Amino acid sequence: MMSPAASSTAAAAPYLAAAPTSSSTRRRRIRLPAISASLSPSSSEEPLLVRAARGEDGLPRPPAWMMRQAGRYMAEYQALAKRHPSFRERSENTDLIVEITLQPWRAFAPDGVILFSDILTPLPAIGVPFDISDSKGPVIQSPVRSEEQVRELVPIDLDMLQFVGESLKILRNEIDGKAALLGFVGAPWTIATYVVEGGMTNTYTNIKSMCYTAPNVLRGLLSHLAQAISDYIIYQVNSGAQCIQIFDSWGGQLPPHVWEQWSKPYIKQIVSRIKEECPHVPLVLYINGNGGLLERMKDTGVDVIGLDWTVDMADGRRRLGNGISVQGNVDPAFLFSPLPVLTDEIHRVVKAAGPKGHILNLGHGVLQKTPEEAVAHFFDVTRSLRYDSLFQGSVAEELQPVA
């Protein structure tokens, strides 16, 4: 694996020519403006996505981005991946991180540009090495299941993650305020599933049983992860991230009362720390399969709740109220539909979410083989939307959370 290169802002130019592009992508390429070095927030000049995350009034339309918008569905990415077949290299080398992150930004101009990385990227920095197998995905050779192993974990060594900080600094300058730069992390429970199970699992039997057979070990692991993830978020923010998404990807595999005990407290611990040290940075919480958790998710203190596509947006709004922003939630399969059908679904979701505090997104990540034309259409339609025409003659209802 290529070691992460020490890069600087001055070295940003080579990324833009690093990979071949399809003709459709080339036609849509956006010429990026001059670079501004300022990272300090200014309410009147902040990106649309950040303002929507905060629930500001008077925005012209919802901002939009897509989970997994950088990656495998793009021909440009596929060509780069052939030259750099190791995922660890692609996600831990500054040059490649920046190039891959910018590919959808140049092609589609989303309102959010999310760092190309992985939720497991910080694991070696706390003393948990891992590999990625083409057939098995992430593999952790020594799963953490004992008190001794938890004691051997170390505070996160941010020097081992310099490629993340360097990439964010370059990306913040490259997009120059024309979109929000998003960082992300995995929630403690979700990271712990990999650390305890040793990789991917369909049953979660080891970690679920630890809730009752070794609760102190699991609490120690989750507490350590919460501290490390908080430090990692602050590092991303200090490097230029303007919004952070927390992925509790496997939280939806827990019964709601178990999630309440074993995931929620550690997310709240992270949120409390970030609100104290980075109060200007909105936090988004996404859980796959979160229909039974919405009200509990709100109680974590995050600014935005991401809805997956199995939750009706109107129902989600009724349950959460207007006091918190929402994100989502077009079914990724609609990107395989005729474009007019996709247009109608975008309009339906936006109208159901209401004219305030909504970030348009998919209900999950972009699927493999998604047509790039459909992704382009998704963003084109979003840019054409105007709240004043969508909600003309209607009075926005002030929704309160369902008791």
Side-chain angles (χ1 to χ4, degrees), residues 6-15 95 170 174:
S7 302
S8 65
T9 303
Y15 314 130
D95 292 14
I170 294 168
E174 284 293 319

Side-chain angles (χ1 to χ4, degrees), residues 347-393:
H347 280 244
R348 186 194 69 79
V349 169
V350 172
K351 288 179 180 177
K356 174 185 174 181
H358 177 221
I359 300 168
L360 184 64
N361 204 315
L362 303 179
H364 198 269
V366 183
L367 300 173
Q368 291 192 59
K369 300 183 180 180
T370 294
E372 292 187 46
E373 178 189 16
V375 176
H377 185 74
F378 181 95
F379 290 114
D380 287 343
V381 170
T382 306
R383 278 188 291 273
S384 73
L385 296 175
R386 290 297 177 269
Y387 280 140
D388 54 4
S389 58
L390 279 173
F391 296 94
Q392 189 174 17

Side-chain angles (χ1 to χ4, degrees), residues 324-335:
I324 190 167
S325 295
V326 293
Q327 179 175 273
N329 68 338
V330 174
D331 184 342
F334 271 99
L335 294 169

Side-chain angles (χ1 to χ4, degrees), residues 32 113 165 173 179 184 191 199 214 220 253 296 302 311 315:
L32 296 175
V113 175
N173 288 327
F184 70 93
I191 300 298
Q253 298 295 320
R296 290 174 167 89
V302 296
V311 177
D315 181 55

Side-chain angles (χ1 to χ4, degrees), residues 91-113:
S91 61
E92 297 181 12
N93 176 280
T94 302
D95 292 14
L96 298 178
I97 293 169
V98 171
E99 167 59 23
I100 294 168
T101 302
L102 288 175
Q103 285 176 352
W105 159 241
R106 295 192 303 247
F108 311 119
D111 296 299
V113 175

